Amino acid sequence: IEFAQQGLEKTVRAIRDNFPGTTEAQALDMITVGFQNGLNSSGDFLDSITEYSTQFGNGGASASQFFSVLETGLGTGVLGTDKAGDLFKEFVVRIQDGSTLTRESLTMLGLDADKVLTGLANRTLKPIDAFNMVQGALAKTDDQAVLMQAGVGLLGTQFEDLGASAATGVTTMSSTFQNVGGAV
């Protein structure tokens, strides 16, 4: 029991520290709702929070956006919350590299690569906002060749591993974790 309590305390601290303005009570409520909604079905929920909250927080995401990615990822058939968190982590690595592949992938999706990459560089665009733009553009892409090339170019091996429908189903827009006060 003590080990589990220490793990929970570590997870609550990760949420509080990585998402400014989130209290410990709010973090506990979000964790509770996550458990109630089956986010621990693969046994990796708390570990995923601890591991990926840093990337999401640094990427400008809110705590509810972070939990939404975990929830919608699991809901689209992703095996565990770890894979959903890793999808965003891979995206952040790739979108910030400014490589030719990144530029070409953004352009294939009809996005202005210069505008996106400049916005990220001067911090007028947060990685979470770029993620939402890319996810929206991928979801609207009918050409399967473009979908696969741009998806792999921007989301890496996670896009390949998850498949197009699972990867494009991940969203930050779920409302499940926006008003969770009192869940504990």
Side-chain angles (χ1 to χ4, degrees):
I1 293 175
E2 184 178 324
F3 177 74
Q5 183 178 5
Q6 289 173 350
L8 182 59
E9 289 172 4
K10 181 180 176 183
T11 305
V12 167
R13 271 193 312 275
I15 296 168
R16 182 199 63 208
D17 294 348
N18 291 307
F19 301 106
T22 304
T23 66
E24 289 182 359
Q26 290 168 324
L28 277 170
D29 285 338
M30 288 182 172
I31 293 167
T32 299
V33 170
F35 275 108
Q36 290 170 342
N37 289 328
L39 268 64
N40 197 43
S41 62
S42 294
D44 64 354
F45 180 50
L46 294 180
D47 289 337
S48 294
I49 293 170
T50 304
E51 181 177 354
Y52 294 107
S53 61
T54 301
Q55 285 87 11
F56 279 80
N58 289 340
S62 67
S64 63
Q65 287 175 313
F66 170 55
F67 279 90
S68 177
V69 167
L70 300 181
E71 177 191 34
T72 58
L74 200 61
T76 61
V78 172
L79 181 59
T81 55
D82 180 74
K83 286 285 190 186
D86 204 31
L87 181 74
F88 180 76
K89 183 180 114 183
E90 278 283 326
F91 171 78
V92 171
V93 168
R94 289 176 178 264
I95 197 70
Q96 292 181 333
D97 71 6
S99 70
T100 301
L101 178 60
T102 297
R103 288 179 174 282
E104 289 172 353
S105 298
L106 289 167
T107 302
M108 277 190 259
L109 294 174
L111 299 172
D112 184 335
D114 288 332
K115 184 177 178 181
V116 171
L117 298 176
T118 299
L120 289 167
N122 68 22
R123 298 184 180 196
T124 57
L125 181 66
K126 298 176 192 172
I128 194 69
D129 297 326
F131 178 77
N132 287 331
M133 289 169 52
V134 166
Q135 287 295 92
L138 286 168
K140 293 177 185 173
T141 302
D142 293 326
D143 185 325
Q144 291 302 301
V146 169
L147 179 64
M148 291 305 295
Q149 289 172 5
V152 172
L154 295 168
L155 298 166
T157 57
Q158 291 304 319
F159 189 87
E160 292 175 317
D161 292 350
L162 301 174
S165 64
T168 59
V170 174
T171 179
T172 63
M173 307 302 179
S174 170
S175 62
T176 302
F177 293 93
Q178 290 179 359
N179 298 307
V180 297
V184 173

